[in-house]
Amino acid sequence: MRTELYIDGQWTRPLKGGTFPIVNPATEEVVHHGPLGTAEDVELAVRAARRAFDQGPWPKMPGTERAKYLRAIGAGIRDRLQELARLETIDNGKPLPEAEWDIADAAGCFDFYADLAEGLDKKPEEAITLADGRFVSKAVKEPVGVAAAIIPWNFPLLMAAWKVAPALAAGCTMVLKPAELTSLTALELGAIAQAADLPPGVLNIVTGAGSVAGQAMVDHPDVDKLAFTGSGPVGSRIMQAAARDIKRVSLELGGKSPFIVFDDSDIDAAVEWVMFGIFWNQGEVCSATSRVLVQEGIYDRFMDRLVEETKKIKIGDGQEPGVLLGPMVSEKQMNQVLAAIENARTDGAKVTVGGGRPAGFNKGYYVEPTVLTDVPLDSDAWKEEIFGPVVCVRAFKSEDEAVALANDSRFGLAAAVMSKDDARADRVAAALRAGIVWINCSQPTFTEAPWGGYKQSGIGRELGRWGLENYLETKQITRFVSEEPWGWYIK
Ligand code: NAD
């Protein structure tokens, strides 16, 4: 576990010498003291990234060359998969197999964007057909410049990969700040980049508080682009700060995503995906399908199976084999989730299963997997993100009613629909106002496919070729080719 920041290709102690405790949420033990970066460290990191962009080889290098570094980083992650997964579990609390999944996906993300970096060489420009034959025009893609990435704690290394890989593929340089609750694997990414001989300053990693180090990145005039994943309120503040000097900004924010289950669905399949949609990663998932709408014909049978299976979920330290639900990431998060359940009760919701801290744990920030029913439509439990293993379930009669309930939200990140009738599922998918719609499943995420939200769930798309576009500017180059003079002033 590292005690230094990664700036300009070097490991450096925070200039103010601060540290912060890193707590294992399963045991409440302080396992390490991480380096607490401040605005002064951010200044060095942005300067290094600026130098690497303005004077270094990185943005001018052919994409094929950059791809080699990206592949080396992907391979470096894969070589250390078990170790990184264990760090992720200690830091975040998630079950080890889920952490292994994340780390493998992070490695795959670097491979994917290596391919796209090569693609930039194959299609370096696009000819534009102009109606006016006196000119020929083309469009070229260029890197945006220095990007600052600020990420949350729920998928620590994976969220870093979603931003670092496309930014570097595009030719940008970057300053990355992980969430203060989960800094361990981001710092290891620095070591992996260093081992891959990434030129100095191309990737800089500063750990520290959002309000200090994060804010300094957001406010820095030499940063060209802000890429943020996290909560809506912080996203809004970042967008306002970006407006000051017209920084490019992409935001991936929260959600309260619906899952519509029609009564022709297989009940076990529906229960399986509904559970996966809210209980994997302890429900600390921006796209969690936390509002479940079940058609009345199967509602009672569905609920019986959901309650039966939810009670069987093995809760515990993510490092223990067979555990399917780890602790919340922090005491604060646990208390927020417990408070949200209490508020739901006060507002009239019924706690059908779960609802508190599980019995038999002396330590750890655990919350039981919880199913709420009779949740009033105007209550916070129905409308606001809980970011924990808490699902609201409600019956509906008609397709129109389900779509209207699903879309009645200020969020629009994801949605899911289950039905054996493909035409109906397609119709509903088209009607749902969300950036990601799953049919007959919930949550599978693919590096190749666009990811991002409608409405207050964010701006822009990550992953796939859309993720690369986030870090590219489009330049028009137009040439005057006429034999005739322009003849405006000089006749
Ligand atoms: P958060 O917004 O508090 O923190 C996210 C990051 O922002 C952290 O790195 C934090 O240090 C930093 N930050 C905080 N204040 C800042 C400031 N003033 N200036 C700059 N940076 C600042 O959110 P969180 O608690 O880490 O994550 C949970 C939230 O993130 C949930 O609401 C969830 O829905 C959302 N989320 C969204 C996605 C997505 O893809 N859309 C993914 C994961 C999490």
Side-chain angles (χ1 to χ4, degrees), residues 53 58-60 66 141-145 167 170-173 471-473:
F53 188 80
W58 191 254
K60 295 168 205 84
R66 288 198 297 270
K141 297 283 186 188
E142 292 183 350
V144 165
C172 290
T173 59
Y471 298 95
L472 291 169
E473 291 281 14

Side-chain angles (χ1 to χ4, degrees), residues 212-230:
V212 180
Q215 193 67 46
M217 288 161 69
V218 168
D219 289 338
H220 204 294
D222 284 339
V223 169
D224 300 298
K225 149 123 198 142
L226 298 170
F228 173 77
T229 298

Side-chain angles (χ1 to χ4, degrees), residues 119-143:
L120 289 172
D121 292 350
K122 288 184 200 129
K123 254 185 84 183
E125 57 187 53
E126 189 184 332
I128 314 284
T129 307
L130 301 176
D132 188 334
R134 293 171 299 169
F135 301 88
V136 291
S137 195
K138 64 182 180 183
V140 297
K141 297 283 186 188
E142 292 183 350

Side-chain angles (χ1 to χ4, degrees), residues 342-484:
E342 275 322 297
N343 287 342
R345 262 193 244 261
T346 310
D347 287 341
K350 184 171 155 216
V351 179
T352 305
V353 59
R357 300 186 70 173
F361 290 90
N362 300 324
K363 291 271 178 215
Y365 308 129
Y366 296 100
V367 175
E368 289 177 299
T370 298
V371 180
L372 303 177
T373 53
D374 301 335
V375 184
L377 290 176
D378 61 354
S379 66
D380 280 355
W382 186 260
K383 285 164 48 185
E384 301 300 329
E385 186 171 49
I386 294 177
F387 225 58
V390 182
V391 65
C392 303
V393 189
R394 178 180 193 92
F396 71 90
K397 286 190 171 63
S398 70
E399 181 179 321
D400 284 351
E401 182 195 0
V403 169
L405 281 168
N407 283 338
D408 185 17
S409 171
R410 66 189 167 88
F411 299 113
L413 183 56
V417 52
M418 181 168 272
S419 172
K420 288 197 175 123
D421 177 347
D422 286 348
R424 173 159 66 183
D426 287 343
R427 203 164 55 231
V428 170
L432 289 166
R433 300 280 299 156
I436 303 139
V437 179
W438 288 290
I439 297 178
N440 295 341
C441 59
S442 175
Q443 307 302 314
T445 301
F446 304 96
T447 314
E448 304 87 344
W451 181 273
Y454 284 21
K455 303 193 252 183
Q456 291 185 30
S457 289
I459 287 193
R461 293 293 177 270
E462 296 196 285
L463 297 182
R465 64 179 169 79
W466 302 268
L468 188 69
E469 291 289 334
N470 270 331
Y471 298 95
L472 291 169
E473 291 281 14
T474 304
K475 179 185 274 180
Q476 172 204 152
I477 302 177
T478 296
R479 184 186 299 271
F480 183 56
V481 291
S482 171
E483 297 293 313
E484 299 294 315

Side-chain angles (χ1 to χ4, degrees), residues 102-127:
D102 291 359
I103 305 298
D105 273 3
C109 187
F110 280 93
D111 292 344
F112 176 81
Y113 282 105
D115 288 349
L116 263 56
E118 287 167 351
L120 289 172
D121 292 350
K122 288 184 200 129
K123 254 185 84 183
E125 57 187 53
E126 189 184 332

Side-chain angles (χ1 to χ4, degrees), residues 150-155 159 162 177-181 208-216 218 228-232 234-235 237-238 251-255 284-287 333 385 387 413 451 457 462:
I150 298 176
I151 57 172
W153 41 257
N154 54 350
F155 296 91
M159 289 298 106
W162 282 21
K177 195 199 83 63
E180 43 275 60
L181 288 171
S211 55
V212 180
Q215 193 67 46
V218 168
F228 173 77
T229 298
S231 62
V234 176
R237 223 174 303 145
I238 286 179
L251 303 174
E252 299 281 351
L253 309 175
E284 294 166 330
V285 181
C286 51
S287 59
Q333 188 67 17
E385 186 171 49
F387 225 58
L413 183 56
W451 181 273
S457 289
E462 296 196 285

